[in-house]
């Protein structure tokens, strides 16, 4: 239980640092990479919580978020490249 709290605090601090990059990023590519990293942190946090709570529904939610984040990153990168 103590380890989960420490990891959760660490993930929150990482997400705050990344959200600064999302809002103040020097370029659009930096913002997309930061948003994708926040998405990855969310997925990892849900997987860890699923293991801790022993419920598989959180794994399904994490998989859905990962797939939607990947598709969103692909669409934004295509748009920035000018092929969309």
């Amino acid at each position: 239980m103590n380890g989960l709290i420490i990891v959760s605090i660490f993930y929150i601090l990482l997400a705050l640092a990344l959200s600064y990059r999302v809002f103040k990023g020097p370029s659009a590519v930096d913002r997309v990479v930061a948003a994708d990293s926040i998405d990855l942190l969310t997925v990892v946090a849900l997987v860890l919580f699923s293991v801790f709570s022993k419920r598989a529904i959180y794994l399904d939610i994490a998989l859905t978020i990962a797939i939607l984040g990947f598709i969103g990153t692909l669409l934004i990168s295509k748009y920035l490249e000018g092929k969309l």
Side-chain angles (χ1 to χ4, degrees):
M1 182 69 176
N2 248 353
L4 183 66
I5 293 172
I6 292 171
V7 170
S8 300
I9 291 171
F10 182 67
Y11 275 4
I12 289 170
L13 292 175
L14 284 175
L16 287 174
L18 287 168
S19 41
Y20 173 78
R21 182 57 61 194
V22 168
F23 294 117
K24 300 283 184 178
S27 69
V29 175
D30 290 331
R31 292 176 182 191
V32 170
V33 170
D36 196 38
S37 298
I38 290 174
D39 181 45
L40 181 65
L41 281 175
T42 304
V43 168
V44 170
L46 278 170
V47 168
L48 288 175
F49 186 71
S50 172
V51 170
F52 177 73
S53 66
K54 297 178 183 158
R55 297 195 61 184
I57 187 70
Y58 298 114
L59 287 176
D60 296 337
I61 295 170
L63 183 62
T64 304
I65 290 173
I67 291 171
L68 290 175
F70 178 71
I71 291 171
T73 302
L74 282 179
L75 288 175
I76 291 171
S77 65
K78 289 275 189 184
Y79 175 75
L80 291 175
E81 194 175 86
K83 292 186 178 180
L84 185 67

